[in-house]
Amino acid sequence: MKPVIVVHGGAGRIFKEREDGSRSGVIRAALKGYSILKQGGTALDAVEEAVILMEDDPHFNAGCGSVLNEKGEVEMDAIIMDGKNLASGAVSAVKCISNPIKLARLVMEKTDHMLLTDQGASAFAKAMGIPEVPGEKLITERSLERWKKNLEADWNPQECQKDLGTVGAVAIDSAGNVACATSTGGLTNKRLGRVGDTACIGSGGYADNSVGATSTTGHGESIMKVILARLTLYYMEQGKTPGEAADAALDCMKTRVGGLGGIIVISSSGEWAAKFSTNQMSWAVVKDDQLQSGIYTGERITQSIEAAFASIGS
Ligand code: GLY
């Protein structure tokens, strides 16, 4: 099987000043994941490493750069899933760690559970030797500004809900195994303890070698109502291509619950799609040593991976 990786940096509104960073961030993550796949690495390692890069990149709403909850703190959700055996691990409402996706993988591999939350997740991180970082280290000037705006009496909270920016990756490796990983800071000004779709299996992501893998982004409460990731794979099981399935799932979410978002998909035969019902979603894919990427509807920039490496300066 030829390896393929698809990544997204979140569906929603990408402000002009963040566009370049968002483009180069998804390209860097896709190239990182692809290099792992090309060296014979697993889809699971590729999606984890791609997501770690985006968690460490302040342009995205995950890890450092996460939006803030009503108390002005970062609380993050993440999920990872292995399509070979349907193993999955997730964390929710976790604070003071740099890479929630690493903790999600440890939940999958080192516990009999699938989801650890809040203080239990923090205690597990400590037990696994994951360093605690001061909460402020994950807070960027921008997320602080957005949060402060939310406190202004005349601010329309719907505005912030357009700035989503969850990150995710799906991949297929040379052994034909698929995997997904998704990570987010959630919604600006969310209630303390609010858990979104990202940590919920079937909503924020799903991977099954028999059909493919998906990672989703968008309004979590809407995504959960239609179980967006699994719904997309269901449509593929019914015979739709990845692109048709993602469009149908997004259409269902829009018409049934009025929600907007985005989906990336890889099928068990290596077909891929990156679709969104919001105005923008940053995405990148590497297949056959070619990189494609975009942000706007209908935009698809194709580059060799050498040119792509040069464009991000590495
Ligand atoms: N999709 C991210 C969230 O709503 O938390």
Side-chain angles (χ1 to χ4, degrees), residues 75-80 88-95 97 99-130 182 184 193-196 198-201:
E75 273 186 317
M76 302 165 288
D77 301 340
I79 191 165
I80 193 162
S88 174
V91 290
S92 67
V94 69
K95 295 176 188 156
I97 61 166
N99 298 112
I101 200 67
K102 281 191 194 173
L103 191 59
R105 183 157 180 185
L106 287 167
V107 170
M108 178 174 87
E109 291 179 344
K110 305 283 184 202
T111 78
D112 295 329
H113 307 307
M114 285 177 58
L115 171 58
L116 292 181
T117 194
D118 195 11
Q119 290 175 25
S122 299
F124 177 64
K126 213 170 181 175
M128 290 288 110
I130 292 191
T182 312
T184 190
R194 176 262 188 189
V195 173
T198 298
C200 301
I201 188 166

Side-chain angles (χ1 to χ4, degrees), residues 123-168:
F124 177 64
K126 213 170 181 175
M128 290 288 110
I130 292 191
E132 197 171 305
V133 296
E136 312 82 65
K137 276 202 86 173
L138 303 173
I139 300 179
T140 58
E141 239 171 70
R142 185 173 184 281
S143 52
L144 198 58
E145 246 172 54
R146 304 296 292 161
W147 177 73
K148 281 185 187 154
K149 263 199 183 302
N150 251 301
L151 304 179
E152 289 169 10
D154 59 350
W155 178 250
N156 172 8
Q158 298 304 324
E159 277 304 297
C160 270
Q161 307 315 351
K162 292 179 188 160
D163 303 336
L164 299 163
T166 295
V167 304

Side-chain angles (χ1 to χ4, degrees), residues 224-238:
M224 285 188 276
K225 285 176 189 159
V226 299
I227 319 171
L228 191 66
R230 191 64 190 84
L231 179 65
T232 306
L233 295 183
Y234 167 77
Y235 285 138
M236 285 162 65
E237 287 165 337
Q238 302 302 304

